[in-house]
Amino acid sequence: TWQNALETVRQQVQAERQARQTLRQARNIANAGTDLMTNLGQALTLLQQIDVKSYTYQDAKGDADRWSNALLKLATDRLNQKDLAGAIAATEQIPLGLPLSATTQERVWCTRAQQLTHAEHIVKTPLSQQLLTLSIVLPAVQRIQAKSPLYAQAQTQISQLEKLLQDLVQIQAARTLANQRGHAALQLAIRYSQAISPNRPARLYSQSLIAKWQEEIQRIEDRPYLLAAQQLAKAGTIAQLQAAIAEASKIAPKRVLRIQAQTHIAYWKKQIQILEDKPILAQARTLADQGNLTKAIQTAATIRTGRALYPDAQAAIQGWTTQIQIAEDRPLLDRASELADQGSYTNAIELAEKIRPGRALYGEAQAAISRWIAAREEIQRDRAEAETSDQYDDSSGSDPDGEASPPPEDSTSAEDFPTPEMLTNP
């Protein structure tokens, strides 16, 4: 009826209005001028919402072609700059099923094919994902006709994609074998992967897998040596530790477990050194407890530099040396303090200066010397002030005949001069 026809027209008008609004929104996003790649991707995604039966769809096809070609150019530029991730990201902004012209769609497939055969993509992309993408891209490139300007490029890429597919299928078989983790299975997986010749697209990928599987074989071969060594070392005796070191040393340099073995060997050598040197340090400490500090130092000093207990031995030697120095120097500092208490600062200073730098009481002696020098200088200032005051004292400065009065007696204390006892017993 005419009512149904009118409703159909009304719906078509509404759909067309909606399509136009979507196209305007897509164009606004594409021309935003902020992030070109993201904007074009969002704009193309909006175009997918336009009904293919609408009149707007024909206009949208032109925009889709223009924006897709802009993304393909961006992808090519990034690939030329060796930015594979950026190139792939730009290409992936073009949704599948867009209303593109045949030439633009062919460019999309050829660009994807170029990225698929890139060595970095082959190495970094999961194998299952590569096989899935190949199953889509290869048939699409094969459909490019001889009349297409991209036909020659497509034929070259078809050959590369087919070789890549063959390589990945072979690698997949090798990985299936390697997943069994057995020595024989890993060797067979390596032989499968070694069959991929140097000029093949997946050669680098196969070599990375071969290196990984060779390391796994080394672990299988060398782990028994390491386990046996660890078992021997559990006894903790010098003989068993030496046997453990010999067993772990069977793992040759450049083998994958070599570093782990060397770590254990270093630890076991340290344990042996502790077992060898612990009695020496114990003997030295016993001598020190008995008061024979010199002999204790000589005993501990036999523990050589680089040995496990060397830091402990040196710490003990330092403590005993300090005790000896204090025993030697304390009488000197005590006697000097007695002299200072008697006012004989010069003699006290000279006696304290016999304690040389580096000795245990050197800091204490220097602090005392500083105090005594200050005290002596204060006495000298007091005397100088007293002498100056006497010069202006007329009543006591001369006799009635005008003769100068005799000079004052020397006020230096008798304690300022060394006594016989001090000279014989410093």
Side-chain angles (χ1 to χ4, degrees), residues 280 283-302 313 316-328 359:
I280 298 174
Q283 181 186 3
R285 285 172 173 158
T286 299
L287 289 168
D289 292 341
Q290 295 171 353
N292 196 345
L293 296 177
T294 301
K295 185 62 176 178
I297 291 172
Q298 292 173 351
T299 302
T302 61
I317 289 172
Q318 180 63 38
W320 298 331
T321 301
T322 298
Q323 291 181 43
I324 291 174
Q325 291 176 356
I326 291 174
E328 292 174 344
R359 304 278 291 181

Side-chain angles (χ1 to χ4, degrees), residues 218-274:
Q218 289 180 10
R219 287 189 181 92
I220 293 173
E221 293 174 344
D222 293 343
R223 192 169 298 282
Y225 296 127
L226 192 55
L227 293 175
Q230 290 172 326
Q231 189 63 32
L232 286 167
K234 286 182 179 180
T237 65
I238 292 177
Q240 292 297 91
L241 289 169
Q242 289 174 336
I245 291 171
E247 190 70 17
S249 298
K250 293 178 182 179
I251 300 175
K254 299 184 179 179
R255 303 279 287 186
V256 68
L257 291 182
R258 173 70 174 188
I259 294 177
Q260 187 177 349
Q262 291 300 109
T263 301
H264 283 292
I265 287 172
Y267 175 71
W268 295 331
K269 285 182 177 179
K270 183 177 180 180
Q271 285 187 305
I272 291 173
Q273 292 173 3
I274 291 173

Side-chain angles (χ1 to χ4, degrees), residues 127 131 162-178 188-197 200 202-203 205-206 209-210 213:
L127 182 58
L131 289 170
E162 288 176 342
K163 290 178 180 178
L164 176 59
L165 181 59
Q166 293 171 3
D167 292 350
L168 293 181
V169 169
Q170 189 163 342
I171 288 174
Q172 188 180 43
R175 288 183 61 179
T176 301
L177 285 168
L188 187 57
I190 290 173
R191 285 201 294 272
Y192 263 68
S193 296
Q194 286 174 335
I196 298 175
S197 57
R200 302 284 290 194
R203 169 70 174 186
Y205 184 33
S206 68
L209 291 175
I210 288 171
W213 295 333

Side-chain angles (χ1 to χ4, degrees), residues 239-387:
Q240 292 297 91
L241 289 169
Q242 289 174 336
I245 291 171
E247 190 70 17
S249 298
K250 293 178 182 179
I251 300 175
K254 299 184 179 179
R255 303 279 287 186
V256 68
L257 291 182
R258 173 70 174 188
I259 294 177
Q260 187 177 349
Q262 291 300 109
T263 301
H264 283 292
I265 287 172
Y267 175 71
W268 295 331
K269 285 182 177 179
K270 183 177 180 180
Q271 285 187 305
I272 291 173
Q273 292 173 3
I274 291 173
L275 291 173
E276 291 174 341
D277 294 344
K278 194 173 182 179
I280 298 174
L281 191 55
Q283 181 186 3
R285 285 172 173 158
T286 299
L287 289 168
D289 292 341
Q290 295 171 353
N292 196 345
L293 296 177
T294 301
K295 185 62 176 178
I297 291 172
Q298 292 173 351
T299 302
T302 61
I303 299 176
R304 300 187 305 276
T305 304
R307 303 278 291 181
L309 292 182
Y310 178 77
D312 293 347
Q314 290 300 302
I317 289 172
Q318 180 63 38
W320 298 331
T321 301
T322 298
Q323 291 181 43
I324 291 174
Q325 291 176 356
I326 291 174
E328 292 174 344
D329 294 344
R330 177 59 67 187
L332 289 176
L333 193 56
D334 290 345
R335 178 56 182 159
S337 297
E338 292 174 1
L339 291 171
D341 291 342
Q342 297 168 7
S344 186
Y345 295 116
T346 299
N347 291 329
I349 292 169
E350 290 177 353
L351 192 57
E353 283 178 341
K354 293 180 179 181
I355 301 175
R356 310 309 301 167
R359 304 278 291 181
L361 295 181
Y362 177 73
E364 185 179 344
Q366 290 298 304
I369 289 171
S370 297
R371 292 196 305 272
W372 299 336
I373 289 175
R376 185 176 63 182
E377 289 176 349
E378 184 178 356
I379 291 174
Q380 291 173 348
R381 284 194 300 271
D382 292 343
R383 289 176 179 171
E385 290 173 0
E387 291 175 357

Side-chain angles (χ1 to χ4, degrees), residues 3-63:
Q3 289 94 343
N4 292 336
L6 182 61
E7 178 62 22
T8 300
V9 171
R10 190 188 66 79
Q11 291 177 357
Q12 289 176 347
V13 171
Q14 180 63 29
E16 199 67 43
R17 186 180 293 115
Q18 181 62 42
R20 285 292 172 185
Q21 182 179 351
T22 301
L23 182 57
R24 283 194 299 271
Q25 184 181 357
R27 286 173 174 173
N28 289 336
I29 293 174
N31 296 325
T34 52
D35 183 347
L36 178 62
M37 184 176 73
T38 302
N39 291 345
L40 293 178
Q42 292 176 353
L44 288 171
T45 301
L46 279 175
L47 293 187
Q48 287 185 294
Q49 301 176 14
I50 298 176
D51 189 350
V52 295
K53 297 179 181 179
S54 67
Y55 294 105
T56 305
Y57 181 78
Q58 300 303 317
D59 294 337
K61 289 175 64 176
D63 290 309

Side-chain angles (χ1 to χ4, degrees), residues 120-138:
E120 182 181 347
H121 179 268
I122 296 171
V123 170
K124 292 184 176 181
T125 307
L127 182 58
S128 58
Q129 182 179 334
Q130 292 188 67
L131 289 170
L132 177 61
T133 308
L134 267 172
S135 68
I136 298 172
V137 175
L138 179 55

